Amino acid sequence: MSRRNTGLRFQPSGGARTTQIPVGKKQRLTIERLAHDGRGIAFVEGRTWFVAGALPEEQVEARVLAARSQVVEARTERVLVPSPLRLVPPCAHAGHCGGCTLQHLPHAEQLALKQRTLAEQLARFADLEPQAWAAPLVGAEFGYRRRARIAVRWDAKARQLEVGFRAASSQAIVGIKDCQVLVQPLQSLMRALPELLRGLAKPQAIGHVELFHGTASALLLRHTQALGEADLNRLREFCAAHQAQLWLHGDGEPRPDSPDARLGYRLERWNLELEYRPGDFVQVNAAVNEAMVAQALDWMKPQPDERVLDLFCGLGNFALPLARQVREVVAVEGVEAMVERARGNAAANGLENVHFFQADLSSPLAGAAWVGQGFDAVLLDPPRDGAFEAVRQIAATGAQRVVYVSCNPATLARDSAELVKQGYQLKKAGILDMFPQTAHVEAMALFEAG
């Protein structure tokens, strides 16, 4: 059916069509405040600009990265009038590498930003404020990261291997040899890594590389084609020279080049050692992780005769220390392989009062056999999606105390509102500075039955 031309012109609801801002355009801006992700916020002609690398009260020249409707994303190209707070980043790649986004901001201000983010999310999504704010849990500002994924890409045109980290707001790779947030053993590995990889006979077969440090250092190489014996020997010699294990990831699961290789980390305060394999979730900041476990147990105040539930337990990071202090721990995780390793970790550390189960924690828990006997306290450490289905049933367990460890203040706030609806009170909350030099917020909250 042909469309009839009536001669009328219609404009979109809300007025005249807004002219789109082209990518690459430069704009002079005055920054008013910081967003939760650490970007500066400016307002021009009804649009909100989010500007990476900018600080409040600064005048900057920014380049547009993307624009949609009334929101513009941009990157600072030049600082015209700097903030008194502005620091010269110690890393030459700051502003280009996508890893550290806040090196230009003093650490105390980074902590204040994270604290504001947590408070605002609790107020906005749950209309809540804790009865007491805990001091931020902090560690070293640099040299803290014990795990890193290195991006690798074969440039067929230049016939060269790019090695480094992903650029901010891009899939481009920033060539990096020195990374100041890595722990020292991984820094030395990182410096020598590009030369090693570019010297392989089949560099185009490399998918990516991961570095780990704990009870040992380890290098995991993901490869998309079989490696020749010469390349394998070169990798083995490199790892031997740097006192690192070699792990290979082709088809199937990652496997150690040496069958007796063991990779793990220690929780010294409880004389515990937890084994893991590349691909398992492990907190990247060893010092803050141990302090986090200690604070969680301090807030929970577990008693020797109590039964405690640990949800999203992983390898047993909280469950095993808890087992040192209570009658019984029931620990639940969604990934079966992690459950098996957690059981092995409990056995290796001589703990018989902790029991691990696999369950889909995004589904209701009521049918699970381990729920029926009830619990005195609950600890949960969910992923970014939070734990809404789990917290909906916390009160039914009889728990008097709940410690919630979160990597996303928005879902923590949502789940906090549900706990309050069940009669719990938000007694205490605070941030955990697991990722210095970034805007990523980790938090802990304590709830008690009213």
Side-chain angles (χ1 to χ4, degrees), residues 181-200:
V181 296
L182 296 182
V183 295
Q184 283 297 328
L186 297 189
Q187 289 191 31
S188 63
L189 273 171
M190 184 73 195
R191 292 187 193 103
L193 189 63
E195 182 180 355
L196 165 75
L197 298 179
R198 289 172 184 146
L200 297 178

Side-chain angles (χ1 to χ4, degrees), residues 117-118 121-122 125-126 128 312 380-389 391 404-419 440-443 445 447:
T117 297
L118 176 59
Q121 299 285 49
L122 285 170
F125 292 111
L128 279 177
F312 308 92
L380 58 160
D381 182 12
R384 290 188 61 79
D385 289 345
F388 188 68
E389 285 298 331
V391 300
Y404 191 132
V405 180
S406 169
C407 59
N408 184 350
T411 52
L412 170 61
R414 178 202 65 196
D415 295 350
S416 296
E418 174 61 27
L419 285 167
H440 183 81
V441 182
E442 303 249 344
F447 300 86

Side-chain angles (χ1 to χ4, degrees), residues 358-439:
Q358 188 277 331
D360 179 3
L361 294 174
S362 65
S363 300
L365 309 178
W370 42 263
V371 174
Q373 299 177 45
F375 298 93
D376 299 287
V378 175
L379 185 146
L380 58 160
D381 182 12
R384 290 188 61 79
D385 289 345
F388 188 68
E389 285 298 331
V391 300
R392 288 177 66 186
Q393 299 163 75
I394 294 292
T397 70
Q400 295 299 297
R401 306 178 306 284
V402 178
V403 173
Y404 191 132
V405 180
S406 169
C407 59
N408 184 350
T411 52
L412 170 61
R414 178 202 65 196
D415 295 350
S416 296
E418 174 61 27
L419 285 167
V420 169
K421 189 164 71 174
Q422 294 179 47
Y424 291 95
Q425 297 177 355
L426 179 55
K427 291 291 186 176
K428 193 182 301 186
I431 62 169
L432 317 170
D433 192 31
M434 192 70 72
F435 299 89
Q437 314 308 325
T438 80

Side-chain angles (χ1 to χ4, degrees), residues 74-95:
R75 179 182 64 230
T76 301
E77 294 283 295
R78 285 196 302 154
V79 179
L80 306 173
V81 178
S83 163
L85 293 174
R86 178 170 286 276
L87 297 177
V88 176
C91 177
H93 305 290

Side-chain angles (χ1 to χ4, degrees), residues 151-156 158-164 173 175 193-200 202-207 209 221:
V152 175
R153 182 170 55 205
W154 174 251
D155 185 335
R159 299 199 58 78
Q160 183 171 327
L161 193 71
E162 298 176 333
V163 181
I173 295 177
L193 189 63
E195 182 180 355
L196 165 75
L197 298 179
R198 289 172 184 146
L200 297 178
K202 279 191 177 180
Q204 60 268 43
I206 305 169
V209 174
L221 187 136

Side-chain angles (χ1 to χ4, degrees), residues 12-234:
S13 60
R17 186 184 300 276
T18 303
T19 303
Q20 190 60 274
I21 297 179
V23 171
K25 174 182 169 63
K26 292 184 179 180
Q27 175 73 42
R28 183 169 179 149
L29 301 167
T30 299
I31 306 301
E32 296 195 9
R33 65 177 187 269
L34 289 181
H36 291 162
D37 62 6
R39 292 182 294 177
I41 297 179
F43 301 95
V44 177
E45 298 177 352
R47 290 186 172 93
T48 303
W49 291 65
F50 293 90
V51 186
L55 295 177
E57 302 181 9
E58 290 189 331
Q59 291 184 24
V60 302
E61 184 180 74
R63 181 184 297 273
V64 175
L65 301 176
R68 59 189 184 281
S69 185
Q70 302 302 306
V71 175
V72 183
E73 297 183 31
R75 179 182 64 230
T76 301
E77 294 283 295
R78 285 196 302 154
V79 179
L80 306 173
V81 178
S83 163
L85 293 174
R86 178 170 286 276
L87 297 177
V88 176
C91 177
H93 305 290
H96 301 286
C97 171
C100 296
T101 57
L102 292 181
Q103 286 194 17
H104 57 291
L105 186 65
H107 189 234
E109 295 296 326
Q110 295 179 28
L111 296 175
L113 171 64
K114 295 176 184 184
Q115 181 68 49
R116 287 196 302 272
T117 297
L118 176 59
E120 289 170 5
Q121 299 285 49
L122 285 170
R124 178 182 176 186
F125 292 111
D127 193 25
L128 279 177
E129 182 176 351
Q131 294 180 15
W133 284 107
L137 202 62
V138 299
E141 296 178 36
F142 292 93
Y144 67 84
R145 193 176 183 99
R146 62 178 172 182
R147 191 181 81 229
R149 179 166 173 156
I150 314 302
V152 175
R153 182 170 55 205
W154 174 251
D155 185 335
K157 186 175 181 180
R159 299 199 58 78
Q160 183 171 327
L161 193 71
E162 298 176 333
V163 181
F165 293 114
R166 296 290 179 188
S169 306
S170 171
Q171 289 300 304
I173 295 177
V174 179
I176 290 175
K177 282 190 175 182
D178 286 304
C179 178
Q180 297 182 37
V181 296
L182 296 182
V183 295
Q184 283 297 328
L186 297 189
Q187 289 191 31
S188 63
L189 273 171
M190 184 73 195
R191 292 187 193 103
L193 189 63
E195 182 180 355
L196 165 75
L197 298 179
R198 289 172 184 146
L200 297 178
K202 279 191 177 180
Q204 60 268 43
I206 305 169
H208 66 261
V209 174
E210 294 182 60
L211 303 178
F212 304 88
H213 183 70
T215 52
S217 294
L219 182 154
L220 168 72
L221 187 136
R222 173 77 173 97
H223 55 94
T224 57
Q225 303 174 34
L227 298 175
E229 196 62 28
D231 281 351
L232 281 172
N233 287 335
R234 188 178 179 94

